[in-house]
Amino acid sequence: MGLAKRIIPCLDVENGRVVKGVNFVDIRDAGDPVEIAIRYNQQGADEITFLDITASHEGRDTTVHTVEKIAEQVFIPLTVGGGIRAVEDIRTMLNAGADKVSINTAAIHNPELVREAAQRFGSQCIVVAIDAKRVDDVDGKPRWEIFTHGGRKPTGIDAVAWAVRMAELGAGEILLTSMDRDGTKNGFELGVTRAISDAVEIPVIASGGVGNLDHLVEGITIGGADAVLAASIFHFGEYSVPQAKRYMAEHGVEVRL
Amino acid sequence: MSGVVAVIDYGMGNLHSVASALEHVGADKVLVTHDAELIRQADRVVFPGVGAIRDCMTEIRRLHCAQLLADALVEQHKPVLAICVGMQALMTHSEENDGVDCLDIIPGEVRYFGNPLVDDQQQRLKVPHMGWNEVRQCMPHPLWRDIPDMTRFYFVHSYYVDAVDRSLLAGSVQYGVSADAALARDNLFAVQFHPEKSHTAGLQLLRNFLEWNGQC
């Protein structure tokens, strides 16, 4: 027995409402983020991740307020991501009550932000989010590239090499989302999960594609992830967090019950 | 009655969650402050901390936290709870940031988990040690009241405490090595994990702290 693998429900929030899209389109309303966060806290979730997909500035103020309300009532770690561009944004979210902040596109534009943030606030609160898509080499060897703009824009950056670099710059954790799988319910892209998990010393959270409880188990046992993140299977009541944990425990994964 | 709880704010990171968790479990009043007079007047003191030890120690020294802690611990004999880097700062020395001298309130070293770090089945372990791990209670203590042995608490750290005096060990955690998860000495209790992020067990520990008279 030892450190438990973590189950992390994810709230994708737009203009103060939890939404979840299939491949980031066809967005479906799932409710109030504060109520949902409290429900997952009561269910025994190990952490909660809050991804703000609101584009506007006005929406960002709503997000800060929502994070404050969640932090007052939820006593498990809370990660906030989406729209984090500068050290100031990180400070705002930490002051609002976030424990960790997830940096995505801004790290691609300015990798030094990760170093600066880790030095300033400590690696433990800096998560680097990587959105990867499979783009095989000409010889058919699997390779994954980082995409931005909800998976539409290629960057030419190799996802595994990028994860290694982010860890060197001081990231404390990697949140890896497969853009091929996100919203599909076909399971994690286990190849890239394994490749990144093996390549870095820091914990890796697998994300994108969970449709059933076997997928959660596979993310850990085959993908080598330290934590699994899922949204829609929990939001729409298909499975509860305790149900997911019991299933994982029955399949040999150490969890906090 | 918990009275006033002073959370020592030396400018490193977010103390919001410590304060709101203390309020949630019924603290009469929580002050997040580095004002020496307010801390002297408080009934209990929490010494938290996140981030890198060198920056923490710089601020701790600049704000004369050693004196604040000495007053609370020895002169006033108030209950004091140190959390995470707050616990590490109490030790003699840390290996982090190429070696940093700490407060030496509890003799001991803060060591890096090591790379590679493996468990007893030779499986590789990630660093930082991040997530929910089981704490073995090594002594009965008022702060463990209503918390079963081997309860999981939330940890996030890359360096761990190794106190010289093993009789102070109140809790231990296994992660490649046996790390000190909790130390107790008189009216001081120090934890490596984050009770404010450890759900019901963590809240229970904070509740116990609010009810503690500082005696073991």
Side-chain angles (χ1 to χ4, degrees):
Chain A
M1 297 297 274
L3 187 67
K5 300 298 180 186
R6 289 168 282 152
I7 299 186
I8 308 176
C10 177
L11 316 181
D12 296 86
V13 179
E14 186 174 35
N15 297 316
R17 298 289 291 177
V18 176
V19 294
K20 185 64 202 178
V22 174
N23 285 327
F24 287 174
V25 267
D26 181 25
I27 283 165
R28 205 170 148 187
D29 188 283
D32 174 51
V34 180
E35 280 171 24
I36 293 175
I38 291 171
R39 192 206 314 156
Y40 291 143
N41 179 52
Q42 285 164 348
Q43 285 187 1
D46 296 312
E47 295 187 19
I48 289 173
T49 290
F50 180 112
L51 292 181
D52 181 18
I53 57 171
T54 310
S56 70
H57 270 290
E58 303 76 51
R60 308 278 313 156
D61 294 339
T62 310
T63 303
V64 173
H65 189 59
T66 308
V67 170
E68 282 171 353
K69 285 205 283 190
I70 293 175
E72 278 165 19
Q73 300 174 73
V74 168
F75 300 102
I76 56 175
L78 174 66
T79 302
V80 178
I84 302 294
R85 293 186 185 87
V87 164
E88 237 358 86
D89 299 328
I90 299 172
R91 186 190 305 282
T92 301
M93 287 308 173
L94 295 177
N95 286 341
D99 299 287
K100 311 185 212 179
V101 169
S102 165
I103 309 174
N104 190 338
T105 317
I108 295 164
H109 295 317
N110 175 23
E112 280 303 309
L113 174 63
V114 174
R115 187 202 299 276
E116 202 186 330
Q119 274 171 3
R120 193 87 147 252
F121 307 108
S123 289
Q124 82 291 335
C125 67
I126 305 302
V127 181
V128 170
I130 296 179
D131 292 344
K133 243 183 185 176
R134 189 163 168 164
V135 283
D136 290 354
D137 281 344
V138 274
D139 58 4
K141 195 166 149 274
R143 201 173 77 78
W144 298 270
E145 188 175 316
I146 294 180
F147 278 66
T148 59
H149 298 79
R152 293 189 305 275
K153 205 170 154 190
T155 62
I157 302 169
D158 179 80
V160 179
W162 182 250
V164 171
R165 183 160 173 226
M166 291 298 103
E168 284 166 2
L169 287 177
E173 197 171 31
I174 299 286
L175 167 54
L176 171 66
T177 303
S178 160
M179 301 311 289
D180 301 304
R181 300 300 180 93
D182 200 43
T184 64
K185 295 186 168 276
N186 291 332
F188 297 118
E189 163 70 61
L190 296 169
V192 69
T193 308
R194 184 87 236 179
I196 289 182
S197 195
D198 285 347
V200 297
E201 197 195 345
I202 57 177
V204 173
I205 305 166
S207 156
V210 174
N212 62 46
L213 301 181
D214 283 318
H215 293 152
L216 297 176
V217 174
E218 287 166 359
I220 304 285
T221 56
I222 304 172
D226 302 281
V228 285
L229 181 143
S232 50
I233 62 160
F234 296 131
H235 297 337
F236 299 109
E238 285 163 76
Y239 302 101
S240 68
V241 174
Q243 203 180 353
K245 286 190 165 186
R246 276 194 303 273
Y247 190 85
M248 291 172 80
E250 282 162 20
H251 289 76
V253 177
E254 185 163 357
V255 292
R256 177 178 73 106
L257 290 169
Chain B
M1 287 290 285
S2 72
V4 176
V5 185
V7 178
I8 301 181
D9 177 12
Y10 49 92
M12 295 298 295
N14 156 38
L15 304 179
H16 182 288
S17 44
V18 180
S20 66
L22 287 164
E23 281 163 359
H24 188 82
V25 295
D28 297 323
K29 190 172 184 187
V30 181
L31 298 172
V32 177
T33 181
H34 55 75
D35 183 297
E37 200 40 48
L38 290 176
I39 293 168
R40 281 189 65 82
Q41 285 166 11
D43 299 288
R44 295 157 206 281
V45 174
V46 174
F47 185 52
V50 291
I53 193 76
R54 183 182 299 282
D55 292 345
C56 284
M57 284 310 303
T58 302
E59 289 308 296
I60 285 168
R61 291 192 200 287
R62 191 175 67 81
L63 296 166
H64 308 292
C65 292
Q67 191 58 50
L68 298 177
L69 285 167
D71 289 350
L73 285 169
V74 183
E75 193 202 317
Q76 298 185 301
H77 212 79
K78 293 194 282 215
V80 175
L81 176 65
I83 300 173
C84 194
V85 177
M87 176 196 199
Q88 298 187 356
L90 299 176
M91 309 311 290
T92 309
H93 179 265
S94 172
E95 287 180 1
E96 192 176 0
N97 303 131
D98 302 318
V100 174
D101 286 332
C102 300
L103 294 168
D104 199 23
I105 290 173
I106 300 177
E109 181 75 14
V110 184
R111 304 182 195 283
Y112 185 55
F113 266 118
N115 178 25
L117 183 70
V118 293
D119 66 13
D120 45 16
Q121 273 111 48
Q122 299 303 303
Q123 291 288 310
R124 188 176 68 139
L125 298 171
K126 298 295 185 84
V127 179
H129 174 219
M130 186 186 286
W132 300 80
N133 207 339
E134 295 161 316
V135 173
R136 179 178 298 284
Q137 296 174 13
C138 307
M139 63 162 77
H141 194 283
L143 266 70
W144 293 137
R145 187 173 56 89
D146 293 338
I147 300 171
D149 193 19
M150 301 305 278
T151 293
R152 290 182 188 275
F153 288 89
Y154 188 83
F155 289 83
V156 49
H157 59 130
S158 299
Y159 294 80
Y160 69 94
V161 167
D162 185 7
V164 173
D165 181 353
R166 305 312 289 160
S167 73
L168 303 182
L169 191 67
S172 68
V173 64
Q174 294 300 317
Y175 196 64
V177 296
S178 182
D180 297 359
L183 296 172
R185 190 178 70 191
D186 306 323
N187 51 326
L188 169 65
F189 199 82
V191 291
Q192 177 63 68
F193 53 82
H194 287 272
E196 76 282 12
K197 288 289 145 188
S198 295
H199 201 216
T200 45
L203 294 174
Q204 182 61 43
L205 189 138
L206 292 177
R207 199 174 285 120
N208 293 343
F209 175 66
L210 295 182
E211 290 167 9
W212 186 32
N213 61 7
Q215 310 285 316
C216 288

